[in-house]
Amino acid sequence: MPQQYLNYIDGEWKPAASGSWNENRNPAHWNEIIGLFPKSGVEEVDEAVAAAREAYKSWRLVPAPERGAILKKAGDIMVERKEDLARDMTREMGKVLAETRGDVQEGIDTAYYAAVEGRRLFSHTAPSELRNKMNLSFRMPIGIAGLITPWNFPMAIPCWKTLPALLCGNSVVLKPASDTPLTATHLVEILIEAGVPKGVINLVHGGGGVVGNRLVEHPDVDVISFTGSSEIGKAINAKAGATLKRVSLELGGKNAQIVMEDADLELALDGVLWGAFGTTGQRCTATSRLLLHQAIYDQFLDMLVGAIKCLTVGDGLDPKSKVGPVVNKSQIETVESYVKIGKAEGARLIVGGHQLTDGAHKDGWFYAPTVFADVQPKMRLFQEEIFGPVLSVAKVKDFDQAVAYHNDCIYGLSSSIYTRDVNRAFRAVRDLEAGITYVNGATIGAECHMPFGGVKQTGNGHREGGWPVYEFYSEIKTVYIDFSGKLQRAQIDNY
Ligand code: NAD
Ligand code: MN
């Protein structure tokens, strides 16, 4: 009988009232059940929100440096348990150990950044237009944050949301993806051990349509932060309008790497292999399109195919594996359907294009790293997010066409250009429509103290990471202090 894990509500670990469970399986060995997690309903969300509301009364009054010290301790515990956390994460979602260690490290970095922010939370003061009067502003908590996370960064993304929300003095209800509930459980255990009080952090497992949706519709939730698909993000934004919640959406991408004819081609090759096939292509910032200058097109494709044939696909716990499995069966089906679409559209399949089902791969969701060449901007392969190990390559005649192709896309998360021409590099920084641009680096590699997010249909203008996320999780209180001892009228007495 696999282990049963529980929700954490109002300081207690408990099962869902339904008595039903979701299985968490290992995508590298789908017979292995990692654990059973409660299939919660509206009832559990309502209970968690009520607990969060009660706990908020005292949490909002804890000095921010003291809240920061708790998060520092959480970071220290993650450092101690980094290897175990990484191993459990690889088992529950597949990516290779080097990457799951990186995912935990992102959580640690975010905790330490939050701890320091506890002694900052800066706001502005400005002069008053009147004598003997002062103008100040403060960052205040908002209330209850409902946080809904995807499965591809099981520690980093819950930390990006939970830790700033807590530091700012909000209480939290976290709904992790049902493919990765174990890492979220570990995070909550760590926060409890570090000293986050009862009711301030709550964990409710279950499906998005029920648990996630109730958080969005709940009249007493003040803030929603969601990372996931654009389709669900749009529905959330519309629903949250009914209660005027503040909403942060981090959604899909169709990121491109541009390689100009003057680039260091070996460097560009390392970049695209890491960008397109790291996390088996299942990153919001994955390199999904490669735009090659015509002068190096054939040469670069040969280099790419040669290198892909050396990429070992396998269980992420095996140190030989460079690419892990795809997360689940439905994601394999999506990848297969796009391979069919690509062929039907007339793109040229040059490597991969099939599931791996031999020996070491036979009881997992493995897919061969896949490249389509001669992809045209009008093709679905060029336009739609696949979220798997499929790279679409297009030929461009010059820099301007590379920028035009790049921008011909509804998404705008990450982008990359490889060139040794400094003028082109700066034009790319100015003209690529994306929230993030890398020069001579892959499309992936965010650092926790810099803003993260995209333009166009990748989001709704908010950023995670860095200083903007602390603005998202707080309200500004403006304060006027008049010490003149008389009525002073702004806009009137001076004019
Ligand atoms: P998903 O949209 O299916 O699910 C994300 C989360 O939303 C899960 O916890 C899910 O249970 C929940 N959910 C589902 N339906 C819901 C509903 N109706 N109401 C409320 N919550 C609901 O996405 P996924 O498959 O877990 O992740 C892949 C997607 O996430 C890709 O599109 C990817 O680009 C995107 N992503 C974006 C970023 C980013 O920062 N831009 C980062 C990682 C992933
Ligand atoms: Mn899983």
Side-chain angles (χ1 to χ4, degrees):
M1 176 72 177
Q3 186 173 342
Q4 291 179 336
Y5 290 84
L6 302 170
N7 289 327
Y8 185 70
I9 300 174
D10 202 15
E12 275 180 63
W13 293 98
K14 39 181 145 178
S18 70
S20 345
W21 304 86
N22 283 324
E23 289 173 354
N24 179 13
R25 286 180 181 258
N26 178 346
H29 305 281
W30 35 253
N31 292 321
E32 181 189 340
I33 298 175
I34 287 158
L36 300 175
F37 290 77
K39 200 182 263 186
S40 315
V42 167
E43 188 178 339
E44 284 77 20
V45 177
D46 289 359
E47 203 190 328
V49 172
R53 177 58 66 192
E54 187 57 31
Y56 174 65
K57 291 179 189 163
S58 46
W59 183 243
R60 63 180 274 273
L61 300 176
V62 174
E66 214 177 290
R67 293 194 295 252
I70 295 174
L71 299 181
K72 158 77 170 59
K73 176 115 191 274
D76 292 342
I77 301 171
M78 281 190 240
V79 169
E80 277 165 35
R81 300 199 191 144
K82 182 172 171 181
E83 191 60 21
D84 290 343
L85 292 167
R87 287 184 170 272
D88 271 354
M89 195 191 302
T90 293
R91 284 172 60 228
E92 77 170 335
M93 59 73 73
K95 66 186 173 186
V96 299
L97 263 181
E99 292 187 45
T100 52
R101 289 182 188 124
D103 195 313
V104 177
Q105 187 59 45
E106 179 93 13
I108 295 165
D109 295 344
T110 302
Y112 289 163
Y113 185 91
V116 172
E117 194 60 29
R119 292 193 178 271
R120 292 164 41 96
L121 279 190
F122 292 149
S123 196
H124 294 283
T125 63
S128 169
E129 64 186 50
L130 292 160
R131 284 165 199 257
N132 297 318
K133 191 180 168 202
M134 270 180 197
N135 297 353
L136 316 168
S137 71
F138 296 93
R139 309 210 70 91
M140 312 295 273
I142 306 176
I144 313 304
L147 309 178
I148 304 169
T149 54
W151 50 266
N152 62 340
F153 284 88
M155 182 61 91
I157 294 179
C159 284
W160 281 7
K161 298 185 191 302
T162 305
L163 307 184
L166 292 175
L167 190 278
C168 289
N170 306 288
S171 47
V172 165
V173 181
L174 172 63
K175 202 302 276 178
S178 18
D179 277 309
T180 53
L182 180 58
T183 302
T185 303
H186 290 328
L187 171 61
V188 169
E189 287 164 351
I190 288 168
L191 289 171
I192 296 165
E193 206 177 314
V196 175
K198 137 185 151 82
V200 172
I201 177 77
N202 300 275
L203 174 69
V204 182
H205 295 288
V210 179
V211 175
N213 187 58
R214 179 60 184 161
L215 279 172
V216 172
E217 291 185 338
H218 199 298
D220 206 27
V221 172
D222 305 286
V223 183
I224 291 285
S225 181
F226 169 84
T227 298
S229 56
S230 291
E231 183 195 349
I232 291 170
K234 285 176 192 173
I236 287 178
N237 212 16
K239 279 189 189 156
T243 47
L244 289 178
K245 288 180 177 56
R246 184 181 297 201
V247 180
S248 170
L249 302 169
E250 292 294 343
L251 311 173
K254 188 72 185 176
N255 315 289
Q257 174 178 319
I258 297 169
V259 183
M260 298 308 298
E261 79 284 10
D262 64 348
D264 177 337
L265 296 188
E266 291 292 343
L267 188 67
L269 179 65
D270 286 344
V272 71
L273 289 172
W274 175 227
F277 303 113
T279 319
T280 322
Q282 304 167 113
R283 293 193 182 213
C284 47
T285 53
T287 308
S288 182
R289 298 179 294 159
L290 177 64
L291 310 178
L292 296 178
H293 190 279
Q294 57 184 357
I296 48 103
Y297 188 76
D298 292 328
Q299 181 193 352
F300 198 85
L301 285 181
D302 285 347
M303 290 165 68
L304 183 60
V305 171
I308 286 173
K309 288 188 173 149
C310 304
L311 278 183
T312 309
V313 179
D315 184 341
L317 290 176
D318 180 344
K320 288 195 294 296
S321 301
K322 289 282 177 281
V323 179
V326 167
V327 73
N328 56 33
K329 181 162 187 257
S330 109
Q331 200 58 42
I332 281 271
E333 286 164 2
T334 303
V335 170
E336 299 226 279
S337 78
Y338 275 100
V339 167
K340 265 202 203 111
I341 289 166
K343 288 178 182 165
E345 286 177 317
R348 180 161 59 97
L349 179 66
I350 56 172
V351 63
H354 54 86
Q355 206 177 326
L356 297 170
T357 51
D358 58 302
H361 301 117
K362 68 176 188 314
D363 62 347
W365 305 119
F366 293 99
Y367 204 88
T370 297
V371 179
F372 279 97
D374 304 346
V375 176
Q376 302 293 328
K378 63 178 188 310
M379 294 180 182
R380 290 181 63 189
L381 215 49
F382 189 93
Q383 297 289 346
E384 297 176 17
E385 181 176 59
I386 301 172
F387 226 61
V390 181
L391 177 67
S392 299
V393 190
K395 188 193 284 190
V396 293
K397 64 178 194 301
D398 55 20
F399 175 81
D400 289 340
Q401 190 171 49
V403 171
Y405 275 30
H406 173 278
N407 291 346
D408 180 2
C409 179
I410 59 168
Y411 299 111
L413 183 52
S414 188
S415 57
S416 144
I417 182 162
Y418 283 78
T419 180
R420 285 190 269 218
D421 177 338
V422 70
N423 295 343
R424 274 177 177 165
F426 277 96
R427 285 172 60 199
V429 166
R430 184 191 61 194
D431 295 338
L432 294 177
E433 293 169 0
I436 305 168
T437 295
Y438 291 89
V439 175
N440 294 323
T443 60
I444 64 184
E447 300 178 26
C448 85
H449 55 291
M450 294 298 286
F452 180 92
V455 303
K456 296 167 144 178
Q457 293 194 23
T458 290
N460 62 343
H462 291 291
R463 291 290 181 272
E464 302 214 83
W467 56 97
V469 76
Y470 292 88
E471 293 169 2
F472 176 75
Y473 287 110
S474 53
E475 297 275 21
I476 290 181
K477 166 69 66 79
T478 304
V479 181
Y480 298 103
I481 303 169
D482 191 322
F483 48 97
S484 69
K486 60 182 184 200
L487 174 68
Q488 298 200 85
R489 296 173 303 173
Q491 297 93 41
I492 296 171
D493 289 348
N494 275 348
Y495 300 95

